[in-house]
Amino acid sequence: MTMESSYLEDLPSTGQERVVQRICARVAGPAVGAGVQVASLPLGGLQVWLDSPRHRWRFYHRMARELRLAGWHTETGPDRLLLLGWSAVCLSHRARMLSAALAGRLADFDKTAFMAVMIATRLRHEGFPVEELPAEVEARCRDALRWPARLEDLDGLERRSSLEPLRLRLAQVAGLEAKVGCRCCEHLALASKVARTVAGGAVPARSRARSSASCSATPDSSPGVGLTERMVCVSVPNVATTRAGTAR
């Protein structure tokens, strides 16, 4: 371990306790999350524990993994989880994960479109209310992207440090989070638009910028028609054709 990797920030941040409880409750799930307790330590940092002893060790490790991804150093004990401040190593890991998301899953808009088509089509066949379809599809795509929830967890948290290396890393992370947040909004807007299309039976024009994603067209596809539009076409009933067939 290098000297730089051992830097920890021992000053509490505004909103830290509330944010840590929010993260741990989300990771633990609705059944266990209500029993998450968070309290300050006398010499700085926080302690987290669960009211229910069932599978406590497993939940502590899940929480610790998510808290480290947020940038905090954690220690897992048999009866509680300790959060000891910002870690240079964990912040660097968060920066790598944010960059990987931008270059990987968040660069693949067609995957989101495909997921939205599949979810919306299945829900429609199950009789899900049409007016609620876009919101439900967007919510499920939000869960699949994972980063929207992670960014929302940090709302209200003041991230600061008295150490220069940590201040630089926190600034780097904040910049990457802004990019990831914008990209997530684009994905969710696409998912909502596809869901409205499946619900209404009309094929949308491609709305995202050329730089956001590229269309993988096949030799027999029409010029300017991307994967998103082709998937919607095969999933949405052709209303005009159906009416014509009925008239005959």
Side-chain angles (χ1 to χ4, degrees), residues 27-230:
V27 173
V32 180
V36 173
Q37 304 295 331
V38 181
S40 299
L41 293 169
L43 300 179
L46 299 174
Q47 55 181 331
V48 183
W49 70 95
L50 292 173
D51 290 337
S52 172
R54 184 175 176 82
H55 305 303
R56 179 181 289 171
W57 181 256
R58 184 181 67 188
F59 285 116
Y60 285 164
H61 278 276
R62 290 181 181 176
M63 294 173 186
R65 184 167 56 248
E66 197 69 17
L67 291 171
R68 286 194 296 269
L69 181 57
W72 284 300
H73 176 80
T74 64
E75 297 288 344
T76 306
D79 61 343
R80 66 194 58 230
L81 176 67
L82 302 180
L83 185 145
L84 304 177
W86 297 120
S87 162
V89 171
C90 294
L91 288 172
S92 296
H93 175 63
R94 183 172 182 82
R96 286 193 300 270
M97 294 299 291
L98 288 164
S99 298
L102 289 170
R105 176 64 183 89
L106 295 179
D108 191 350
F109 282 86
D110 283 330
K111 185 171 183 178
T112 295
F114 179 80
M115 181 185 301
V117 168
M118 295 298 101
I119 295 172
T121 303
R122 183 174 67 252
L123 290 176
R124 193 180 184 194
H125 289 166
E126 292 173 356
F128 194 85
V130 174
E131 63 276 7
E132 300 176 13
L133 194 64
E136 179 66 19
V137 171
E138 183 177 336
R140 296 194 185 191
C141 288
R142 179 188 297 270
D143 291 340
L145 290 175
R146 304 184 70 178
W147 278 106
R150 286 170 172 164
L151 296 181
E152 289 174 0
D153 282 341
L154 301 180
D155 285 349
L157 177 65
E158 180 187 349
R159 288 181 283 184
R160 54 185 171 79
S161 174
S162 60
L163 302 175
E164 182 66 20
L166 291 181
R167 284 202 300 269
L168 294 174
R169 280 171 169 77
L170 286 169
Q172 178 192 19
V173 165
L176 288 169
E177 285 176 350
K179 294 179 181 178
V180 167
C182 290
R183 191 73 63 82
C184 287
C185 287
E186 294 175 5
H187 278 269
L188 296 178
L190 174 63
S192 180
K193 184 172 184 178
V194 170
R196 290 196 302 271
T197 299
V198 173
V203 179
R206 203 175 190 85
S207 60
R208 64 179 181 270
R210 186 177 303 173
S211 59
S212 298
S214 59
C215 300
S216 53
T218 57
D220 58 345
S221 62
S222 302
V225 178
L227 178 60
T228 302
E229 287 75 16
R230 295 199 298 274

